[in-house]
Amino acid sequence: DSGVTQTPKHLITATGQRVTLRCSPRSGDLSVYWYQQSLDQGLQFLIQYYNGEERAKGNILERFSAQQFPDLHSELNLSSLELGDSALYFCASSVRDIGEQYFGPGTRLTVT
Amino acid sequence: SQQGEEDPQALSIQEGENATMNCSYKTSINNLQWYRQNSGRGLVHLILIRSNEREKHSGRLRVTLDTSKKSSSLLITASRAADTASYFCATDRGGSYIPTFGRGTSLIVHP
């Protein structure tokens, strides 16, 4: 158990809908990262927050947004969902804004 | 695009044998990390090696880094069935310390 929690575990929704994925980092970790893992694209970095502020952006679509709250938990919002958004979404955390990351168990999103 | 590429894509061995996976990358890096992922689960950090280091050990794991060849290898000695997983290398470079992951090597260890 990495200490990073993600909810929900599974999510099935229809195209065009909006969902929110939630992540609680390990106690004491200030940095949160979001990744998308799919068979064709592999593991893609989406976005990083450090102590409440956006620190780095990767291949995140405009339909996706995220935030980190004062208690350091983070949410990833996915809107206008498309079939291609079906994937595993991982959250990871680290103590600082660099170094080894601790991954949560992931949320499996299926868009039908 | 992936910075690191693992080789082989898949590896099947018997318990007790050693497993070697390689990672090649294209541009100079700050750090290289190896992670393990069991099917459909979160990644687990194994080892981080800095660009000025050549070798690191952790239990049955040995990681080497050759910056002149832009490559790294992960050796798992005396493999066990529980080592069955996908193994990913991740590199970060320049001013960004965000790791870029390769596609992974799928390792199957037969009991």
Side-chain angles (χ1 to χ4, degrees):
Chain A
D1 183 0
S2 67
V4 178
T5 60
Q6 288 187 250
T7 57
K9 272 185 130 170
H10 300 275
L11 201 46
I12 302 175
T13 189
T15 54
Q17 294 299 306
R18 172 190 168 94
V19 296
T20 297
L21 312 184
R22 183 189 166 102
C23 167
S24 292
R26 289 188 325 156
S27 176
D29 285 359
L30 298 179
S31 200
V32 169
Y33 310 78
W34 285 98
Y35 292 88
Q36 178 194 60
Q37 187 178 39
S38 61
L39 281 174
D40 54 341
Q41 293 291 323
L43 192 67
Q44 297 283 321
F45 166 68
L46 296 178
I47 197 164
Q48 178 201 8
Y49 281 84
Y50 180 75
N51 204 19
E53 294 192 2
E54 183 183 304
R55 180 60 64 98
K57 230 173 182 176
N59 301 320
I60 187 166
L61 300 172
E62 284 192 15
R63 300 183 285 109
F64 296 180
S65 65
Q67 53 185 325
Q68 185 179 30
F69 295 87
D71 67 352
L72 300 178
H73 91 271
S74 178
E75 293 181 355
L76 178 67
N77 301 296
L78 316 176
S79 62
S80 303
L81 285 167
E82 301 175 0
L83 295 177
D85 297 327
S86 295
L88 264 171
Y89 290 84
F90 288 105
C91 165
S93 71
S94 63
V95 174
R96 301 180 299 150
D97 55 351
I98 62 173
E100 64 183 86
Q101 298 179 17
Y102 296 86
F103 279 74
T107 293
R108 183 174 293 280
L109 173 66
T110 303
V111 183
T112 61
Chain B
S1 63
Q2 265 75 21
Q3 158 78 328
E5 294 290 339
E6 294 90 344
D7 175 72
Q9 285 188 356
L11 183 59
S12 180
I13 59 175
Q14 293 295 130
E15 214 168 26
E17 294 178 342
N18 295 341
T20 299
M21 288 157 268
N22 302 296
C23 171
S24 59
Y25 54 92
K26 295 176 183 147
T27 60
S28 297
I29 60 171
N30 302 317
N31 306 287
L32 186 145
Q33 302 180 62
W34 284 93
Y35 286 82
R36 183 187 77 228
Q37 183 181 31
N38 290 82
S39 180
R41 318 249 326 240
L43 280 72
V44 174
H45 183 265
L46 297 176
I47 286 184
L48 181 151
I49 187 165
R50 304 184 196 286
S51 60
N52 61 354
E53 296 176 313
R54 291 297 165 256
E55 188 170 313
K56 275 187 111 165
H57 298 255
S58 176
R60 294 182 296 112
L61 307 181
R62 173 179 168 245
V63 168
T64 60
L65 179 65
D66 186 336
T67 53
S68 66
K69 294 181 179 176
K70 293 187 172 57
S71 69
S72 173
S73 67
L74 169 66
L75 168 68
I76 305 175
T77 59
S79 63
R80 305 166 182 168
D83 295 327
T84 294
S86 291
Y87 291 81
F88 295 86
C89 71
T91 57
D92 60 80
R93 62 192 190 280
S96 169
Y97 288 89
I98 302 296
T100 302
F101 288 80
R103 293 279 186 164
T105 290
S106 175
L107 172 67
I108 297 176
V109 182
H110 299 278

